[in-house]
Amino acid sequence: MMTASPVVRRRRLGQELKQLREDAKLTAAEVARQVKFSPSKMSRLEAGRGAPAVADVTTILDFFEVQGERRDQLLKLTREARKKGWWQLYSDIPYSTYIGLEAEAKMILTYQPVVPGLFQTSRYAEAINRSTVPGMSDDAAEQQHDVRLQRQELLNLANPVQVRAVIDESAIARVVGGPEVMKEQLGRLLELAAQPNILLQVIPFSNGAHPGTLVGPFVILQFDHQEDANVVYVESNSDPYVRNTERYELMFDNLRANAVSVPESLALIKNRMSEL
């Protein structure tokens, strides 16, 4: 069973602390100087990076004279933000922050030139990992496999995450891991597309160039709580987490318009299966 994500709690706490400061019309540097924090510590707290120390948050709440129920809520949020997510049991996961955000998203909008990670079968995922990371050890491959299986639980919860996925036809045309592996993967896509929480569309080669051709893959994560700002994950960026999601939401709408309908997309997948 999935639990509350500490990554999301850290972001929320950081936004709350930043709001306290802005309401007081103070800069981060001014607050840091008053409470004897380094500017970098203040920056980390407001950005939600790393597990916040209860003592540090208490110091800030004392400075802003936050009392009563509001204080209790923020300290509770701090304790939740200090917990470990299941993904932290694994070492060397380069996208652990992303997993922590994904774990509590209510809606995932994604464009991918390959089969999205949440939809990948074990054998397809291993083939992708070994082809993109030459020399991957068996232990690393097993860890990647375990993490992917845990992530995919999001699709089967009592209140599952909603996924809107657009994939390029190359994702179903390129044979990954051999014909049998690919046929299994395409079958899995058809199974998932039958779930009410998943909408899958394909952009066929015949539709020519589209925004994703130049921009590359991206994922928009949307959250239930108003205080949890939506975020875009763009792996090619130096900072992969984009807070201004409007541009990418418009781009995703454009990609969906470039794609064929869901029934036509499923027909493309079935036809590709028959060719293998």
Side-chain angles (χ1 to χ4, degrees), residues 27 63 75 97 101 127 168 173 194 225 233-234 252 257:
T27 67
F63 176 75
L75 288 175
T97 297
L101 293 170
D168 193 82
H225 296 282
Y233 178 77
V234 187
F252 188 77

Side-chain angles (χ1 to χ4, degrees), residues 180-221:
E180 287 305 311
V181 170
M182 196 63 203
K183 193 169 185 178
E184 177 187 50
Q185 177 61 76
L186 295 176
R188 176 63 175 156
L189 288 180
L190 294 175
E191 290 174 5
L192 289 170
Q195 294 184 194
N197 58 310
I198 295 173
L199 188 151
L200 175 63
Q201 290 177 266
V202 178
I203 302 178
F205 293 137
S206 58
N207 282 10
H210 53 78
T213 307
L214 293 177
V215 175
F218 64 89
V219 184
I220 303 170
L221 300 173

Side-chain angles (χ1 to χ4, degrees), residues 137-194:
S137 69
D138 290 342
D139 285 346
E142 184 177 356
Q143 177 173 275
Q144 291 278 4
H145 170 265
D146 291 346
V147 169
R148 197 171 302 274
L149 286 182
Q150 287 261 37
R151 287 175 59 205
Q152 291 177 354
E153 287 184 22
L154 291 171
L155 302 176
N156 303 310
L157 298 174
N159 185 23
V161 64
Q162 302 292 310
V163 182
R164 304 291 178 262
V166 176
I167 59 176
D168 193 82
E169 187 174 355
S170 59
I172 63 173
R174 180 174 290 108
V175 178
V176 174
E180 287 305 311
V181 170
M182 196 63 203
K183 193 169 185 178
E184 177 187 50
Q185 177 61 76
L186 295 176
R188 176 63 175 156
L189 288 180
L190 294 175
E191 290 174 5
L192 289 170

Side-chain angles (χ1 to χ4, degrees), residues 35-157:
V35 300
K36 296 181 170 55
F37 284 177
S38 67
S40 61
K41 176 186 280 192
M42 197 69 198
S43 176
R44 286 195 304 273
L45 281 168
E46 290 194 357
R49 293 196 298 269
V54 175
D56 290 341
V57 175
T58 300
T59 297
I60 293 175
L61 298 182
D62 288 343
F63 176 75
F64 288 116
E65 298 181 350
V66 178
Q67 299 297 332
E69 184 178 351
R70 179 81 173 124
R71 183 185 183 93
D72 292 341
Q73 289 174 342
L74 291 176
L75 288 175
K76 178 184 177 184
L77 191 57
T78 303
R79 289 189 290 272
E80 291 174 346
R82 290 183 56 77
K83 294 179 179 178
K84 288 187 178 294
W86 62 260
W87 54 91
Q88 291 174 294
L89 299 175
Y90 299 90
S91 60
D92 302 324
I93 297 296
Y95 50 97
S96 60
T97 297
Y98 172 81
I99 296 175
L101 293 170
E102 178 189 69
E104 208 162 317
K106 71 166 183 178
M107 174 79 77
I108 297 175
L109 310 177
T110 181
Y111 164 73
Q112 301 290 332
V114 298
V115 174
L118 286 177
F119 297 169
Q120 291 177 6
T121 64
S122 297
R123 293 200 295 172
Y124 179 96
E126 182 176 2
I128 283 282
N129 289 334
R130 289 194 181 278
S131 63
T132 55
V133 186
M136 175 181 282
S137 69
D138 290 342
D139 285 346
E142 184 177 356
Q143 177 173 275
Q144 291 278 4
H145 170 265
D146 291 346
V147 169
R148 197 171 302 274
L149 286 182
Q150 287 261 37
R151 287 175 59 205
Q152 291 177 354
E153 287 184 22
L154 291 171
L155 302 176
N156 303 310
L157 298 174

